[in-house]
Amino acid sequence: MSILTTRIYSIRKYALNYLKTLSIITFCYVITTSCMSNKNYKGELAYFTDNEEATDLLSSTTIKIDSLYYSPYIKVVDSIAIFYNYKEKNAFELVDLSTGKRIGSFCPIGQGHEEFIGLSPISQIYQEKNEKKTVLFAPNECKMLIWNISESLKLKRTVYEDAIAYSWKNKTPVAYCNQTLIGKDSVLLSLPSIHISSEDKITLPGYQIRTLKSNELISEINIFNHTVDNKDSRVMPENFYGAFCSVKPDRSKFAEAMTWLPQINVVDIKTGKIAGCRMKDTQDESVFSTNMESALFCYKSIASDNHYIYALWIGVSKNELQPDMESYTVHVFDWDGQFVQKIKLEHPINELTISSENGFLYGWNLHQQILYQYDLTFI
């Protein structure tokens, strides 16, 4: 081998070793940077791409509702839609989906006998002894209520099976919400983040599992390690980690779709293991250090069955955001926290819900007062 050939061989070998070393350094830097950006997150984070070409169009059956319901909160059980009407004298209006007509008003609001100043929306409808029931929370009276929906329809009056004393002010600075029965005597409760002005402190959003009868703490779940404060933000910092929650019907997991991060989180209730899925090439937590004027508002509603999670995607900036914003787009995830597909709806909606009895997805258009029914068997 000549001296020239040997020298070229040495240079090439040096160059290959250099590139290999550079690749390793770059790879380590990317991994380190990624870990640093997600250090506030307690789970494992995967990513998905919002691919326009992968969109499936979902056609619907139209159900015109013969009343005015201004609340976006809705649940469907069997052939009945339950609207949360917090501005009216009764908290819930029931509508027959075969006719679109109201069949009853229940859960009176007030300060009289079996009245409550305010009631939470319905988070879950469950079946017990062939009757449909739900757990409601009355924060002013500090009571958990078991509302028997089936018996109320039968007797044409509100039937509370139980009103359980449930103090919260000495346990947490914010009232419980998203109350969901996950065991015979255990409920999952969410605690939204709030600003405590006397301490100038923002509380960490999270979840608690408590006993229903005795109000004892069983466990706590936090998805993030700490909150972020930003006095210059156009969005209140206590809303940065806001999310909509849905519990899997078999009660083993729950999912949340986040409002200011393009991300869903899936939590195993028994183990506490967290799996997240975030949209690529959009925003991460660094957006919380900006004034948030151009920040994306991400998810607005969530629903689930035992197979999939359905999250209503908005995807507009803070500057473009309007009250009661509608959307045509639903992102579908599985219960391992993996993205499955993107669905394009035939009509825009404000709210999602699922009937576990008939397997249909329902979308509520608040402005048009129309409920759309979607067949999910193709997923």
Side-chain angles (χ1 to χ4, degrees), residues 63-66 69 78-83 93-104 153 371:
I63 304 170
K64 180 65 178 175
I65 304 300
D66 190 27
Y69 300 107
D78 296 329
S79 59
I80 296 170
I82 304 176
F83 290 88
E93 305 279 349
L94 274 61
V95 173
D96 185 340
L97 293 182
S98 63
T99 63
K101 296 186 180 296
R102 183 173 63 85
I103 56 176
L153 276 169
L371 191 64

PDB file of all heavy atoms in Angstrom, residues 63-66 69 78-83 93-104 153 371:
ATOM      1  N   ILE A  63     -80.755  14.712  14.819  1.00  0.00           N
ATOM      2  CA  ILE A  63     -81.870  14.708  15.776  1.00  0.00           C
ATOM      3  C   ILE A  63     -82.124  16.152  16.195  1.00  0.00           C
ATOM      4  O   ILE A  63     -81.311  16.758  16.886  1.00  0.00           O
ATOM      5  CB  ILE A  63     -81.554  13.847  17.017  1.00  0.00           C
ATOM      6  CG1 ILE A  63     -81.190  12.412  16.592  1.00  0.00           C
ATOM      7  CG2 ILE A  63     -82.728  13.854  17.991  1.00  0.00           C
ATOM      8  CD1 ILE A  63     -80.630  11.570  17.713  1.00  0.00           C
ATOM      9  N   LYS A  64     -83.224  16.720  15.747  1.00  0.00           N
ATOM     10  CA  LYS A  64     -83.571  18.092  16.090  1.00  0.00           C
ATOM     11  C   LYS A  64     -84.232  18.124  17.468  1.00  0.00           C
ATOM     12  O   LYS A  64     -85.197  17.407  17.725  1.00  0.00           O
ATOM     13  CB  LYS A  64     -84.524  18.683  15.043  1.00  0.00           C
ATOM     14  CG  LYS A  64     -84.950  20.125  15.319  1.00  0.00           C
ATOM     15  CD  LYS A  64     -83.783  21.083  15.242  1.00  0.00           C
ATOM     16  CE  LYS A  64     -84.225  22.520  15.478  1.00  0.00           C
ATOM     17  NZ  LYS A  64     -83.102  23.473  15.530  1.00  0.00           N
ATOM     18  N   ILE A  65     -83.700  18.942  18.356  1.00  0.00           N
ATOM     19  CA  ILE A  65     -84.213  19.046  19.725  1.00  0.00           C
ATOM     20  C   ILE A  65     -85.254  20.161  19.792  1.00  0.00           C
ATOM     21  O   ILE A  65     -84.997  21.301  19.409  1.00  0.00           O
ATOM     22  CB  ILE A  65     -83.067  19.306  20.715  1.00  0.00           C
ATOM     23  CG1 ILE A  65     -81.998  18.211  20.585  1.00  0.00           C
ATOM     24  CG2 ILE A  65     -83.595  19.386  22.146  1.00  0.00           C
ATOM     25  CD1 ILE A  65     -82.478  16.812  20.856  1.00  0.00           C
ATOM     26  N   ASP A  66     -86.424  19.821  20.290  1.00  0.00           N
ATOM     27  CA  ASP A  66     -87.571  20.738  20.285  1.00  0.00           C
ATOM     28  C   ASP A  66     -87.626  21.584  21.556  1.00  0.00           C
ATOM     29  O   ASP A  66     -88.659  21.670  22.211  1.00  0.00           O
ATOM     30  CB  ASP A  66     -88.872  19.931  20.123  1.00  0.00           C
ATOM     31  CG  ASP A  66     -90.077  20.837  19.861  1.00  0.00           C
ATOM     32  OD1 ASP A  66     -89.875  21.936  19.314  1.00  0.00           O
ATOM     33  OD2 ASP A  66     -91.195  20.448  20.223  1.00  0.00           O
ATOM     34  N   TYR A  69     -81.681  24.631  24.856  1.00  0.00           N
ATOM     35  CA  TYR A  69     -80.771  24.253  25.926  1.00  0.00           C
ATOM     36  C   TYR A  69     -79.429  24.932  25.661  1.00  0.00           C
ATOM     37  O   TYR A  69     -78.752  24.628  24.687  1.00  0.00           O
ATOM     38  CB  TYR A  69     -80.612  22.737  25.985  1.00  0.00           C
ATOM     39  CG  TYR A  69     -81.932  22.039  26.236  1.00  0.00           C
ATOM     40  CD1 TYR A  69     -82.569  21.331  25.224  1.00  0.00           C
ATOM     41  CD2 TYR A  69     -82.558  22.126  27.474  1.00  0.00           C
ATOM     42  CE1 TYR A  69     -83.778  20.710  25.453  1.00  0.00           C
ATOM     43  CE2 TYR A  69     -83.779  21.516  27.700  1.00  0.00           C
ATOM     44  CZ  TYR A  69     -84.381  20.805  26.685  1.00  0.00           C
ATOM     45  OH  TYR A  69     -85.593  20.209  26.906  1.00  0.00           O
ATOM     46  N   ASP A  78     -79.411   5.118  26.940  1.00  0.00           N
ATOM     47  CA  ASP A  78     -80.464   4.464  26.158  1.00  0.00           C
ATOM     48  C   ASP A  78     -80.904   5.403  25.036  1.00  0.00           C
ATOM     49  O   ASP A  78     -80.101   5.826  24.230  1.00  0.00           O
ATOM     50  CB  ASP A  78     -81.620   4.045  27.058  1.00  0.00           C
ATOM     51  CG  ASP A  78     -81.203   2.995  28.086  1.00  0.00           C
ATOM     52  OD1 ASP A  78     -80.299   2.192  27.783  1.00  0.00           O
ATOM     53  OD2 ASP A  78     -81.758   2.990  29.198  1.00  0.00           O
ATOM     54  N   SER A  79     -82.172   5.785  25.011  1.00  0.00           N
ATOM     55  CA  SER A  79     -82.675   6.692  23.971  1.00  0.00           C
ATOM     56  C   SER A  79     -83.028   8.052  24.560  1.00  0.00           C
ATOM     57  O   SER A  79     -83.890   8.763  24.038  1.00  0.00           O
ATOM     58  CB  SER A  79     -83.913   6.081  23.296  1.00  0.00           C
ATOM     59  OG  SER A  79     -84.931   5.855  24.257  1.00  0.00           O
ATOM     60  N   ILE A  80     -82.346   8.421  25.636  1.00  0.00           N
ATOM     61  CA  ILE A  80     -82.653   9.672  26.333  1.00  0.00           C
ATOM     62  C   ILE A  80     -81.403  10.549  26.404  1.00  0.00           C
ATOM     63  O   ILE A  80     -80.318  10.074  26.756  1.00  0.00           O
ATOM     64  CB  ILE A  80     -83.177   9.390  27.749  1.00  0.00           C
ATOM     65  CG1 ILE A  80     -84.506   8.635  27.676  1.00  0.00           C
ATOM     66  CG2 ILE A  80     -83.347  10.689  28.544  1.00  0.00           C
ATOM     67  CD1 ILE A  80     -84.969   8.116  29.017  1.00  0.00           C
ATOM     68  N   ALA A  81     -81.564  11.812  26.063  1.00  0.00           N
ATOM     69  CA  ALA A  81     -80.492  12.793  26.229  1.00  0.00           C
ATOM     70  C   ALA A  81     -80.758  13.596  27.494  1.00  0.00           C
ATOM     71  O   ALA A  81     -81.899  14.003  27.756  1.00  0.00           O
ATOM     72  CB  ALA A  81     -80.431  13.724  25.023  1.00  0.00           C
ATOM     73  N   ILE A  82     -79.707  13.800  28.297  1.00  0.00           N
ATOM     74  CA  ILE A  82     -79.829  14.572  29.538  1.00  0.00           C
ATOM     75  C   ILE A  82     -79.013  15.844  29.377  1.00  0.00           C
ATOM     76  O   ILE A  82     -77.792  15.800  29.235  1.00  0.00           O
ATOM     77  CB  ILE A  82     -79.334  13.761  30.748  1.00  0.00           C
ATOM     78  CG1 ILE A  82     -80.082  12.423  30.842  1.00  0.00           C
ATOM     79  CG2 ILE A  82     -79.510  14.558  32.037  1.00  0.00           C
ATOM     80  CD1 ILE A  82     -79.597  11.521  31.952  1.00  0.00           C
ATOM     81  N   PHE A  83     -79.700  16.981  29.398  1.00  0.00           N
ATOM     82  CA  PHE A  83     -79.053  18.286  29.255  1.00  0.00           C
ATOM     83  C   PHE A  83     -78.891  18.937  30.617  1.00  0.00           C
ATOM     84  O   PHE A  83     -79.812  18.930  31.436  1.00  0.00           O
ATOM     85  CB  PHE A  83     -79.891  19.206  28.353  1.00  0.00           C
ATOM     86  CG  PHE A  83     -79.900  18.795  26.912  1.00  0.00           C
ATOM     87  CD1 PHE A  83     -80.845  17.894  26.442  1.00  0.00           C
ATOM     88  CD2 PHE A  83     -78.969  19.303  26.029  1.00  0.00           C
ATOM     89  CE1 PHE A  83     -80.860  17.513  25.109  1.00  0.00           C
ATOM     90  CE2 PHE A  83     -78.975  18.934  24.691  1.00  0.00           C
ATOM     91  CZ  PHE A  83     -79.923  18.034  24.229  1.00  0.00           C
ATOM     92  N   GLU A  93     -82.648  18.542  32.160  1.00  0.00           N
ATOM     93  CA  GLU A  93     -83.783  18.346  31.278  1.00  0.00           C
ATOM     94  C   GLU A  93     -83.559  17.055  30.502  1.00  0.00           C
ATOM     95  O   GLU A  93     -82.487  16.844  29.929  1.00  0.00           O
ATOM     96  CB  GLU A  93     -83.930  19.508  30.298  1.00  0.00           C
ATOM     97  CG  GLU A  93     -84.033  20.874  30.953  1.00  0.00           C
ATOM     98  CD  GLU A  93     -85.429  21.173  31.466  1.00  0.00           C
ATOM     99  OE1 GLU A  93     -86.356  20.410  31.127  1.00  0.00           O
ATOM    100  OE2 GLU A  93     -85.595  22.155  32.201  1.00  0.00           O
ATOM    101  N   LEU A  94     -84.569  16.186  30.458  1.00  0.00           N
ATOM    102  CA  LEU A  94     -84.459  14.914  29.759  1.00  0.00           C
ATOM    103  C   LEU A  94     -85.279  14.969  28.471  1.00  0.00           C
ATOM    104  O   LEU A  94     -86.433  15.419  28.474  1.00  0.00           O
ATOM    105  CB  LEU A  94     -84.928  13.761  30.631  1.00  0.00           C
ATOM    106  CG  LEU A  94     -83.862  13.160  31.563  1.00  0.00           C
ATOM    107  CD1 LEU A  94     -83.337  14.192  32.553  1.00  0.00           C
ATOM    108  CD2 LEU A  94     -84.390  11.945  32.295  1.00  0.00           C
ATOM    109  N   VAL A  95     -84.666  14.512  27.375  1.00  0.00           N
ATOM    110  CA  VAL A  95     -85.281  14.581  26.053  1.00  0.00           C
ATOM    111  C   VAL A  95     -85.315  13.193  25.428  1.00  0.00           C
ATOM    112  O   VAL A  95     -84.311  12.467  25.442  1.00  0.00           O
ATOM    113  CB  VAL A  95     -84.500  15.554  25.142  1.00  0.00           C
ATOM    114  CG1 VAL A  95     -85.034  15.502  23.714  1.00  0.00           C
ATOM    115  CG2 VAL A  95     -84.573  16.973  25.688  1.00  0.00           C
ATOM    116  N   ASP A  96     -86.479  12.827  24.871  1.00  0.00           N
ATOM    117  CA  ASP A  96     -86.638  11.563  24.152  1.00  0.00           C
ATOM    118  C   ASP A  96     -86.017  11.729  22.767  1.00  0.00           C
ATOM    119  O   ASP A  96     -86.475  12.558  21.972  1.00  0.00           O
ATOM    120  CB  ASP A  96     -88.124  11.219  24.044  1.00  0.00           C
ATOM    121  CG  ASP A  96     -88.368   9.849  23.411  1.00  0.00           C
ATOM    122  OD1 ASP A  96     -87.460   9.330  22.727  1.00  0.00           O
ATOM    123  OD2 ASP A  96     -89.464   9.297  23.597  1.00  0.00           O
ATOM    124  N   LEU A  97     -84.995  10.954  22.465  1.00  0.00           N
ATOM    125  CA  LEU A  97     -84.292  11.118  21.190  1.00  0.00           C
ATOM    126  C   LEU A  97     -85.103  10.640  19.990  1.00  0.00           C
ATOM    127  O   LEU A  97     -84.808  11.021  18.854  1.00  0.00           O
ATOM    128  CB  LEU A  97     -82.954  10.384  21.231  1.00  0.00           C
ATOM    129  CG  LEU A  97     -81.916  10.953  22.205  1.00  0.00           C
ATOM    130  CD1 LEU A  97     -80.617  10.177  22.115  1.00  0.00           C
ATOM    131  CD2 LEU A  97     -81.664  12.425  21.917  1.00  0.00           C
ATOM    132  N   SER A  98     -86.123   9.834  20.219  1.00  0.00           N
ATOM    133  CA  SER A  98     -86.954   9.385  19.100  1.00  0.00           C
ATOM    134  C   SER A  98     -87.892  10.479  18.617  1.00  0.00           C
ATOM    135  O   SER A  98     -88.337  10.469  17.463  1.00  0.00           O
ATOM    136  CB  SER A  98     -87.771   8.150  19.501  1.00  0.00           C
ATOM    137  OG  SER A  98     -88.685   8.468  20.551  1.00  0.00           O
ATOM    138  N   THR A  99     -88.183  11.464  19.483  1.00  0.00           N
ATOM    139  CA  THR A  99     -89.094  12.561  19.113  1.00  0.00           C
ATOM    140  C   THR A  99     -88.435  13.931  19.195  1.00  0.00           C
ATOM    141  O   THR A  99     -88.921  14.893  18.593  1.00  0.00           O
ATOM    142  CB  THR A  99     -90.324  12.572  20.038  1.00  0.00           C
ATOM    143  OG1 THR A  99     -89.890  12.828  21.396  1.00  0.00           O
ATOM    144  CG2 THR A  99     -91.056  11.237  19.979  1.00  0.00           C
ATOM    145  N   GLY A 100     -87.335  14.034  19.959  1.00  0.00           N
ATOM    146  CA  GLY A 100     -86.694  15.326  20.171  1.00  0.00           C
ATOM    147  C   GLY A 100     -87.408  16.191  21.188  1.00  0.00           C
ATOM    148  O   GLY A 100     -87.075  17.367  21.360  1.00  0.00           O
ATOM    149  N   LYS A 101     -88.384  15.627  21.884  1.00  0.00           N
ATOM    150  CA  LYS A 101     -89.197  16.408  22.824  1.00  0.00           C
ATOM    151  C   LYS A 101     -88.818  16.126  24.274  1.00  0.00           C
ATOM    152  O   LYS A 101     -88.393  15.022  24.625  1.00  0.00           O
ATOM    153  CB  LYS A 101     -90.691  16.106  22.614  1.00  0.00           C
ATOM    154  CG  LYS A 101     -91.198  16.526  21.236  1.00  0.00           C
ATOM    155  CD  LYS A 101     -92.696  16.357  21.123  1.00  0.00           C
ATOM    156  CE  LYS A 101     -93.180  16.773  19.733  1.00  0.00           C
ATOM    157  NZ  LYS A 101     -92.945  18.201  19.472  1.00  0.00           N
ATOM    158  N   ARG A 102     -89.012  17.142  25.114  1.00  0.00           N
ATOM    159  CA  ARG A 102     -88.695  17.037  26.535  1.00  0.00           C
ATOM    160  C   ARG A 102     -89.676  16.096  27.233  1.00  0.00           C
ATOM    161  O   ARG A 102     -90.880  16.148  26.996  1.00  0.00           O
ATOM    162  CB  ARG A 102     -88.754  18.419  27.185  1.00  0.00           C
ATOM    163  CG  ARG A 102     -88.359  18.439  28.651  1.00  0.00           C
ATOM    164  CD  ARG A 102     -88.270  19.863  29.182  1.00  0.00           C
ATOM    165  NE  ARG A 102     -89.546  20.530  29.119  1.00  0.00           N
ATOM    166  CZ  ARG A 102     -90.485  20.429  30.077  1.00  0.00           C
ATOM    167  NH1 ARG A 102     -90.261  19.709  31.159  1.00  0.00           N
ATOM    168  NH2 ARG A 102     -91.626  21.052  29.954  1.00  0.00           N
ATOM    169  N   ILE A 103     -89.140  15.241  28.102  1.00  0.00           N
ATOM    170  CA  ILE A 103     -89.992  14.302  28.837  1.00  0.00           C
ATOM    171  C   ILE A 103     -89.902  14.499  30.345  1.00  0.00           C
ATOM    172  O   ILE A 103     -90.556  13.787  31.106  1.00  0.00           O
ATOM    173  CB  ILE A 103     -89.639  12.833  28.490  1.00  0.00           C
ATOM    174  CG1 ILE A 103     -88.161  12.546  28.747  1.00  0.00           C
ATOM    175  CG2 ILE A 103     -90.014  12.526  27.053  1.00  0.00           C
ATOM    176  CD1 ILE A 103     -87.762  11.103  28.521  1.00  0.00           C
ATOM    177  N   GLY A 104     -89.117  15.479  30.786  1.00  0.00           N
ATOM    178  CA  GLY A 104     -89.061  15.730  32.223  1.00  0.00           C
ATOM    179  C   GLY A 104     -87.965  16.692  32.610  1.00  0.00           C
ATOM    180  O   GLY A 104     -86.948  16.811  31.918  1.00  0.00           O
ATOM    181  N   LEU A 153     -87.865   9.122  36.360  1.00  0.00           N
ATOM    182  CA  LEU A 153     -88.704   9.091  35.163  1.00  0.00           C
ATOM    183  C   LEU A 153     -90.016   8.354  35.417  1.00  0.00           C
ATOM    184  O   LEU A 153     -91.084   8.772  34.967  1.00  0.00           O
ATOM    185  CB  LEU A 153     -87.951   8.420  34.016  1.00  0.00           C
ATOM    186  CG  LEU A 153     -87.001   9.303  33.207  1.00  0.00           C
ATOM    187  CD1 LEU A 153     -86.129   8.452  32.294  1.00  0.00           C
ATOM    188  CD2 LEU A 153     -87.785  10.329  32.402  1.00  0.00           C
ATOM    189  N   LEU A 371     -78.659  17.553  17.676  1.00  0.00           N
ATOM    190  CA  LEU A 371     -77.820  16.467  18.162  1.00  0.00           C
ATOM    191  C   LEU A 371     -77.534  15.533  16.990  1.00  0.00           C
ATOM    192  O   LEU A 371     -78.461  15.081  16.305  1.00  0.00           O
ATOM    193  CB  LEU A 371     -78.530  15.708  19.290  1.00  0.00           C
ATOM    194  CG  LEU A 371     -77.710  14.694  20.091  1.00  0.00           C
ATOM    195  CD1 LEU A 371     -76.598  15.390  20.856  1.00  0.00           C
ATOM    196  CD2 LEU A 371     -78.606  13.921  21.049  1.00  0.00           C
TER     197      LEU A 371
END
